[in-house]
Amino acid sequence: LDSLMWQTWTWPEGQVFYYNAILGKSSDWGTSPWHWYVSTAIPKAMLATLVFLPLAVLRIPSCRLDTTWLAHLLPITGFILLYSCLGHKEMRFMFPAMPIINLAAAVGMTKLQQLAFPPKTKSSSRFAKLSFLGAIGCIISTLLASLIFLQVSKHNYPGGQAMELATAYLQEKHAEARVWIDVASSMSGVSLFGQRNAMHRTGIQVWDKGGYEEENTARDFEGYTHLLSEKKDVPGFHVVDVARGHPRIDKRRLSIVTQDAIYLLERN
């Protein structure tokens, strides 16, 4: 099907591997240290439940190696190490590994539960029960933190919000328009579905997206009536509206703070 649509013989997975691993072109979109997945991405995803992971491969309380789950964990470990070799890293690349990582955390939690509440023939120590209580606290704190991060992440898509602002503005004006979308807008919420919806609702004739490639970079924006851009000052255009983004948590005011991110500009 891919070969039919591209009108040439192609193997998508092979093309992606060649482009990213052999040519190393993914680094054009930014690079991170080799340890980023282990030191930053996975800890952020797991939060406090990260403490359960070592328990999946340890026998409690003897702390000897437990090989029961190694057959599941070793392939995922290899997956993470291979992706760590690429300069460009994103959390979404780890999504295939997260179910097994969560499974390992669940195994660790189960071992703490079994230690705290053993069969009637065995006794449980106070330390075991306190450890299990602490594990429950880790799960609750991770849930609460995840809910907070969910609220913050709602502001991570100013491009999509800017597209909605452009749609409402042009729908009210009943004017034909040709809109240029820069890279920052494209990477923060502008979607093909949103573009099609806007074209049905307004007089927008063209949505053109920018890119890092030379051929996809507009220089003077000739022929465009409006822009969605992270740049506020563009010669020949003025700001009509702005979408806010780049959220952060203000610990003093206990609130989510945003700033101007994507501007809707109109030709003078």
Side-chain angles (χ1 to χ4, degrees):
L1 179 61
D2 292 293
S3 299
L4 179 64
M5 298 302 294
W6 285 102
Q7 298 183 357
T8 183
W9 288 106
T10 183
W11 177 32
E13 293 80 4
Q15 293 278 8
V16 170
F17 177 78
Y18 179 72
Y19 184 87
N20 291 292
I22 305 302
L23 298 181
K25 291 291 186 179
S26 63
S27 297
D28 293 345
W29 278 263
T31 59
S32 300
W34 66 268
H35 54 76
W36 185 79
Y37 287 128
V38 176
S39 63
T40 303
I42 293 176
K44 278 188 176 181
M46 299 297 294
L47 298 178
T49 59
L50 184 71
V51 299
F52 302 148
L53 290 182
L55 303 181
V57 293
L58 292 176
R59 297 186 184 276
I60 301 175
S62 64
C63 291
R64 293 179 180 178
L65 181 65
D66 184 355
T67 60
T68 306
W69 295 94
L70 282 183
H72 299 279
L73 298 177
L74 288 178
I76 293 302
T77 303
F79 176 87
I80 296 171
L81 291 176
L82 285 174
Y83 267 85
S84 296
C85 295
L86 295 177
H88 181 66
K89 297 175 178 64
E90 296 183 33
M91 180 60 220
R92 63 189 177 98
F93 297 161
M94 288 295 103
F95 286 172
M98 292 311 299
I100 300 298
I101 294 176
N102 278 305
L103 175 63
V107 170
M109 177 64 182
T110 301
K111 290 182 178 181
L112 289 177
Q113 180 189 19
Q114 293 172 344
L115 193 65
F117 303 99
K120 294 181 179 180
T121 56
K122 296 182 179 180
S123 60
S124 173
S125 67
R126 180 177 297 181
F127 176 76
K129 291 182 177 179
L130 287 176
S131 297
F132 181 70
L133 186 63
I136 295 294
C138 287
I139 292 176
I140 294 174
S141 63
T142 297
L143 174 61
L144 293 176
S146 297
L147 292 174
I148 294 173
F149 291 156
L150 177 63
Q151 291 299 314
V152 174
S153 67
K154 289 166 57 178
H155 303 280
N156 272 335
Y157 305 96
Q161 183 187 349
M163 185 171 62
E164 286 296 319
L165 293 174
T167 301
Y169 177 76
L170 294 171
Q171 191 174 21
E172 185 178 338
K173 289 193 67 175
H174 301 286
E176 293 185 352
R178 295 174 61 90
V179 184
W180 173 263
I181 306 168
D182 74 351
V183 174
S185 304
S186 299
M187 295 180 66
S188 59
V190 171
S191 67
L192 182 59
F193 300 105
Q195 292 173 232
R196 289 175 175 172
N197 179 54
M199 293 177 76
H200 285 302
R201 292 166 53 190
T202 68
I204 298 176
Q205 295 176 312
V206 175
W207 289 96
D208 281 341
K209 287 186 178 180
Y212 291 107
E213 301 86 355
E214 185 70 20
E215 63 271 19
N216 291 329
T217 303
R219 300 187 181 279
D220 54 10
F221 303 108
E222 183 179 352
Y224 294 101
T225 59
H226 297 80
L227 312 176
L228 294 184
S229 174
E230 63 178 336
K231 296 180 180 179
K232 180 179 181 180
D233 300 314
V234 178
F237 291 83
H238 63 276
V239 175
V240 173
D241 211 335
V242 60
R244 297 180 67 82
H246 308 304
R248 61 180 179 86
I249 298 176
D250 189 328
K251 296 179 181 178
R252 277 187 169 183
R253 294 187 292 177
L254 297 177
S255 61
I256 300 172
V257 180
T258 59
Q259 62 188 58
D260 293 348
I262 302 296
Y263 297 90
L264 168 60
L265 300 106
E266 186 175 50
R267 186 173 290 279
N268 295 332

